[in-house]
Amino acid sequence: MSDSSKDVTVVHLVRHGEVENPTGILYGRLPGYHLSELGRRMADRDAEHLASRDVTYVCASPLERAQETATPIAKAHGLDLDTDERLIEADNVFQGKTFGVGDGALRKPENWKHLVNPFKPSWGEPYVDVVVRMMGALNAAKDQARGHEAVLVSHQLPIWIVRSYVERRRLWHDPRKRQCTLASLTSFTYLGDKIVSVGYSEPAIDLVPAHLRAGAKPAPGKSKAFGA
């Protein structure tokens, strides 16, 4: 009988590709936001990157952009695509509005009541709640793919928050400094049931517009929405 405590399992958290969002709103959990043509190319690039890996389980957030990013990955391995509600984007009171880094939203008095506590945060789903659901999704995927690899497609904030938790960093942060570029992979390696390392890679970085990369300033006339 094999000792599961010695199994090495890798769970890749993939951020979805670029979204068609001509009005530049914070789309959050709103339905109807699909990958752009460039986003589909990013999804294909991730599928190519993972094609040679020992992937036995693929799952995605229920939102269209995550499903569309995960589909070519699942297809490349001949797998059915599963859906996990725990991988969804974080809830946000600014959903449906233009609210991005550098667009002046922080100077609008009507927004101040939502910005009083950046540690929770007061504008949306508490970070601790994000950690709980994302760790649940990670551990479930680890059990599904034990001894192999799993791919979960999610969204920037949930991926960054659960990585920060695992790496024992504070959860509150500057959104501009998240290391979680479009179509990036944040990879958690388990030994048995314990995470022993976290890796990060950007298979589609050459396709990512410069103003959407980690730490970049918004391009003239464009805002870098927190959930973009």
Side-chain angles (χ1 to χ4, degrees):
M1 186 174 182
S2 62
D3 183 358
S4 62
S5 68
K6 297 181 180 179
D7 288 335
V8 176
T9 309
V10 181
V11 180
H12 305 282
L13 270 180
V14 177
R15 185 184 171 194
H16 61 79
E18 186 192 58
V19 175
E20 189 67 36
N21 183 20
T23 58
I25 72 165
L26 180 67
Y27 37 77
R29 295 180 175 181
L30 293 173
Y33 282 86
H34 298 266
L35 293 183
S36 64
E37 180 179 352
L38 179 60
R40 290 192 291 273
R41 289 171 58 197
M42 292 177 181
D44 288 340
R45 178 69 65 80
D46 279 352
E48 293 169 6
H49 176 76
L50 290 163
S52 63
R53 305 299 294 257
D54 183 24
V55 174
T56 60
Y57 181 69
V58 181
C59 185
S61 153
L63 296 173
E64 292 97 332
R65 57 193 184 271
Q67 293 279 315
E68 291 164 0
T69 301
T71 294
I73 299 172
K75 184 178 179 181
H77 293 276
L79 298 171
D80 291 331
L81 175 59
D82 202 356
T83 299
D84 191 332
E85 293 279 350
R86 293 174 292 189
L87 296 171
I88 200 167
E89 176 63 285
D91 196 18
N92 193 310
V93 298
F94 297 111
Q95 177 177 288
K97 301 178 181 179
T98 301
F99 190 90
V101 178
D103 70 356
L106 298 179
R107 296 192 293 272
K108 297 177 181 178
E110 63 268 28
N111 290 333
W112 294 349
K113 64 183 178 181
H114 300 300
L115 303 171
V116 295
N117 185 357
F119 307 104
K120 187 177 181 179
S122 51
W123 56 81
E125 183 180 8
Y127 292 139
V128 292
D129 291 355
V130 176
V131 168
V132 170
R133 64 178 173 84
M134 289 296 290
M135 284 302 302
L138 276 171
N139 288 329
K142 173 261 299 175
D143 291 338
Q144 287 282 346
R146 189 176 290 275
H148 304 279
E149 300 187 30
V151 175
L152 306 180
V153 181
S154 186
H155 308 268
Q156 186 191 61
L157 187 147
I159 294 172
W160 181 248
I161 289 299
V162 75
R163 176 181 173 183
S164 296
Y165 169 77
V166 169
E167 295 183 332
R168 299 184 179 182
R169 290 193 303 274
R170 67 190 187 197
L171 301 183
W172 62 274
H173 61 283
D174 182 341
R176 296 168 296 182
K177 297 181 179 180
R178 295 171 187 159
Q179 188 185 40
C180 190
T181 304
L182 290 165
S184 61
L185 277 68
T186 302
S187 303
F188 299 79
T189 298
Y190 285 81
L191 179 59
D193 295 323
K194 181 181 180 181
I195 296 173
V196 293
S197 68
V198 180
Y200 178 78
S201 59
E202 299 174 332
I205 190 61
D206 59 305
L207 300 177
V208 178
H211 73 282
L212 293 179
R213 298 181 186 183
K217 295 181 179 180
K222 298 181 179 180
S223 67
K224 186 178 179 182
F226 293 156

